[in-house]
């Protein structure tokens, strides 16, 4: 479970309102590290979640609750990565319209096998509005 309130600190990776990653400040007191659940291959950019026996011994209700919390944080990190990648690629062709950039971006990510957030367009529009309002 994570803490959500207006006093929450921004991470050093903050991009714009709503485009940030979870921080240690959001970890509730008493939470422990669950080693052995996530496995990452840096060379091939692959990752996996493999529940441990200790994780699976908990009740289905507990597992659903914990996995739901983890999914929310993973979605936040996924949204951040998608917006950041879109920003990087759109800087290369700033004269191209947003609709065409989004279409090209979705197509390129699909070709690479990258999974994008369902609300990508809304995130990009909100991020653009925020960054365009900045001095």
């Amino acid at each position: 479970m994570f803490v959500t309130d207006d006093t929450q600190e921004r991470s050093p990776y903050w991009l714009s309102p709503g485009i940030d990653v979870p921080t240690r400040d959001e970890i509730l007191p008493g939470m422990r590290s669950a080693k052995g659940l996530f496995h990452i291959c840096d060379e091939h950019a692959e990752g996996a979640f493999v529940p441990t026996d200790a994780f699976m011994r908990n009740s289905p209700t507990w597992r659903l609750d914990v996995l739901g919390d983890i999914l929310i944080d993973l979605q936040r990190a996924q949204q951040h990565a998608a917006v950041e990648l879109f920003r990087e690629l759109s800087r290369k062709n700033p004269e191209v319209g947003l609709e065409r950039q989004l279409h090209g971006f979705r197509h390129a990510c699909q070709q690479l096998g990258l999974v994008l957030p369902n609300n990508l367009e809304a995130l990009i529009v909100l991020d653009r509005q925020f960054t365009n309002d900045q001095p």
Side-chain angles (χ1 to χ4, degrees):
M1 178 113 148
F2 61 94
V3 178
T4 55
D5 62 32
D6 295 335
T7 63
Q8 181 175 318
E9 293 290 319
R10 292 179 180 173
S11 83
Y13 310 104
W14 186 87
L15 294 178
S16 62
I19 309 297
D20 203 357
V21 297
T23 65
R24 292 201 180 273
D25 293 338
E26 297 175 45
I27 297 173
L28 295 175
M31 291 184 98
R32 62 179 168 78
S33 178
K35 296 185 186 334
L37 296 176
F38 294 98
H39 305 273
I40 297 171
C41 175
D42 292 324
E43 183 180 344
H44 299 288
E46 296 292 332
F49 171 82
V50 180
T52 62
D53 290 338
F55 183 89
M56 294 304 293
R57 279 193 294 271
N58 287 287
S59 74
T61 304
W62 181 92
R63 292 188 316 237
L64 281 171
D65 190 22
V66 169
L67 289 168
D69 295 338
I70 292 169
L71 280 172
I72 289 168
D73 288 344
L74 288 171
Q75 288 170 337
R76 289 173 59 196
Q78 179 196 41
Q79 291 170 349
H80 184 280
V83 169
E84 187 174 12
L85 180 59
F86 182 84
R87 279 183 176 189
E88 287 177 12
L89 296 177
S90 66
R91 282 187 199 113
K92 294 179 181 182
N93 293 310
E95 70 282 350
V96 176
L98 180 60
E99 186 175 331
R100 196 163 146 216
Q101 283 182 343
L102 283 166
H103 178 75
F105 182 70
R106 276 204 175 275
H107 180 72
C109 289
Q110 183 179 23
Q111 296 287 21
L112 293 169
L114 301 177
V115 177
L116 295 172
N118 292 331
N119 59 344
L120 174 69
E121 287 81 3
L123 294 169
I124 299 294
V125 168
L126 291 172
D127 182 63
R128 282 263 172 113
Q129 288 175 347
F130 176 78
T131 55
N132 288 337
D133 291 343
Q134 297 303 303

